[in-house]
Amino acid sequence: DAGVIQSPRHEVTEMGQEVTLRCKPISGHNSLFWYRQTMMRGLELLIYFNNNVPIDDSGMPEDRFSAKMPNASFSTLKIQPSEPRDSAVYFCASRGTSGRGSGELFFGEGSRLTVL
Amino acid sequence: RKEVEQDPGPFNVPEGATVAFNCTYSNSASQSFFWYRQDCRKEPKLLMSVYSSGNEDGRFTAQLNRASQYISLLIRDSKLSDSATYLCVVTGQGGKLIFGQGTELSVKP
């Protein structure tokens, strides 16, 4: 199994540019999560999907952020326009159904975004 | 108040020491609890789930106190390879997983 695959691994862009981060969850997993990690705020949940449907987007910072999951094998997180304070590592994670409580969350290697 | 709060780090301990991390959570309806480990510049990975009766995995012991809304992780006979950030994770409303800020552990020779 290839695990959760994220791209790009690193992106450096200028303020005002559009950024699109991509994620391929583990095949068969029905939940997908987008997290953002910074030194100051730690890991913050931005949005998560169950069966491709957004369930909770209360963590999305503002309207500049949007996420989609058009099918079970692909999701995008878009920032438009980007700002320097968006610089962070963005993690995608997926989870399958579980028998006891919530199943294990598997993370991708993250996309490190730097906005100049 | 944050939904999940952890001991501030970093913890600097010698090899062989026993170290304990604590975590409190605010949502009394939370059902599932975990400890994740994150190495520097890597993604978080599951260390162990935390069960109501407490559970042990080798040198690692996790405890849950629902009445006090408190979780702990004990590491015995710490190794250099245990150096990492340990993240307390709690399920929130709708099953989402909420991470604590993390506690950094540094094990020295």
Side-chain angles (χ1 to χ4, degrees):
Chain A
D1 195 332
V4 176
I5 299 172
Q6 291 187 244
S7 65
R9 291 291 311 281
H10 302 273
E11 178 152 349
V12 180
T13 190
E14 291 185 342
M15 183 173 64
Q17 295 299 306
E18 179 179 292
V19 173
T20 299
L21 307 178
R22 298 174 179 79
C23 175
K24 182 180 187 311
I26 292 173
S27 178
H29 281 190
N30 64 334
S31 296
L32 182 141
F33 301 74
W34 281 102
Y35 287 88
R36 176 173 71 176
Q37 187 172 40
T38 60
M39 287 291 292
M40 291 296 295
R41 301 173 69 92
L43 260 171
E44 301 173 279
L45 178 64
L46 300 177
I47 185 171
Y48 78 100
F49 298 82
N50 274 352
N51 297 315
N52 314 337
V53 176
I55 302 301
D56 186 339
D57 65 354
S58 59
M60 295 285 262
E62 48 197 272
D63 291 346
R64 298 185 296 107
F65 285 69
S66 62
K68 293 182 179 179
M69 192 165 185
N71 57 62
S73 60
F74 183 66
S75 177
T76 58
L77 178 67
K78 191 168 290 189
I79 309 172
Q80 167 64 19
S82 57
E83 297 182 2
R85 60 191 168 122
D86 301 331
S87 298
V89 180
Y90 290 80
F91 285 105
C92 175
S94 70
R95 181 178 68 184
T97 53
S98 63
R100 178 173 182 169
S102 299
E104 179 180 352
L105 201 58
F106 290 86
F107 283 81
E109 293 181 306
S111 293
R112 185 173 296 273
L113 173 66
T114 302
V115 183
L116 302 174
Chain B
R1 182 186 172 189
K2 290 184 179 179
E3 291 186 81
V4 181
E5 296 200 67
Q6 294 186 237
D7 275 351
F11 282 56
N12 296 301
V13 303
E15 266 187 296
T18 295
V19 60
F21 303 138
N22 302 315
C23 172
T24 57
Y25 59 96
S26 61
N27 185 355
S28 59
S30 294
Q31 292 295 316
S32 300
F33 310 90
F34 309 88
W35 284 100
Y36 274 68
R37 170 190 168 133
Q38 186 173 23
D39 292 290
C40 186
R41 301 180 79 84
K42 297 283 191 180
E43 72 275 20
K45 292 184 179 178
L46 179 66
L47 176 66
M48 60 194 302
S49 301
V50 185
Y51 301 131
S52 297
S53 54
N55 49 296
E56 190 173 303
D57 182 1
R59 298 181 293 108
F60 298 82
T61 301
Q63 295 281 349
L64 168 64
N65 183 322
R66 285 189 186 272
S68 301
Q69 295 178 205
Y70 171 98
I71 306 159
S72 66
L73 176 68
L74 183 78
I75 305 175
R76 291 182 299 278
D77 187 24
S78 53
K79 312 289 185 191
L80 296 176
S81 57
D82 294 334
S83 297
T85 296
Y86 291 83
L87 300 158
C88 173
V89 186
V90 174
T91 52
Q93 191 173 3
K96 63 184 180 182
L97 294 181
I98 302 167
F99 284 72
Q101 187 83 354
T103 302
E104 184 182 345
L105 171 65
S106 180
V107 181
K108 305 291 188 185

